Amino acid sequence: QVQLVESGGGLVQPGESLRLSCAASGSIARIYIMAWYRQAPGKQRELVAGITSDGSTNYADSVKGRFTISRGDAKNTVYLQMNSLKPDDTAIYYCNCLRQGLNYWGKGTLVTVSS
């Protein structure tokens, strides 16, 4: 089992930045991918960014050039640096990891971008 806990959400104005953190605990060995998803009101959950165990990354087109995903030195933490935030980025952001074919999810952290 893997437990994921997100932090760092909040209310910001358009153009501002925010950094989300996700800490994994439990059976963290052999986690292949850690990722961030988001779900806006009335919309389906979508992939924002992911990072593999060897450091390869991928991003949704809507956040490329604005968001950066990274892993901490201990490899059990993943960050999402979000710059130039837009109202359309408002959503609950969920941390996700894939380990031995199983997906694990955090409870989410709310990001609101509004003036």
Side-chain angles (χ1 to χ4, degrees), residues 52-83:
T52 64
S53 55
D54 64 0
S56 298
T57 59
N58 68 296
Y59 296 91
D61 288 343
S62 59
V63 306
K64 282 180 181 176
R66 299 188 299 123
F67 291 11
T68 302
I69 190 170
S70 61
R71 294 181 80 157
D73 291 341
K75 306 300 182 187
N76 68 323
T77 304
V78 64
Y79 304 100
L80 186 67
Q81 178 67 41
M82 304 185 294
N83 298 329

Side-chain angles (χ1 to χ4, degrees), residues 2 8 10-11 16-17 26-27 31 35 43-44 54 68 75 77 81 85 100 107 111:
V2 178
L11 171 64
E16 293 186 339
S17 299
S27 301
I31 290 178
K43 295 187 177 181
Q44 289 188 333
D54 64 0
T68 302
K75 306 300 182 187
T77 304
Q81 178 67 41
L85 282 161
Q100 294 187 315
K107 293 183 178 181
V111 173

Side-chain angles (χ1 to χ4, degrees), residues 14-36:
E16 293 186 339
S17 299
L18 207 58
R19 189 174 87 150
L20 305 182
S21 300
C22 172
S25 61
S27 301
I28 62 173
R30 292 184 289 279
I31 290 178
Y32 176 55
I33 296 174
M34 295 191 77
W36 289 95

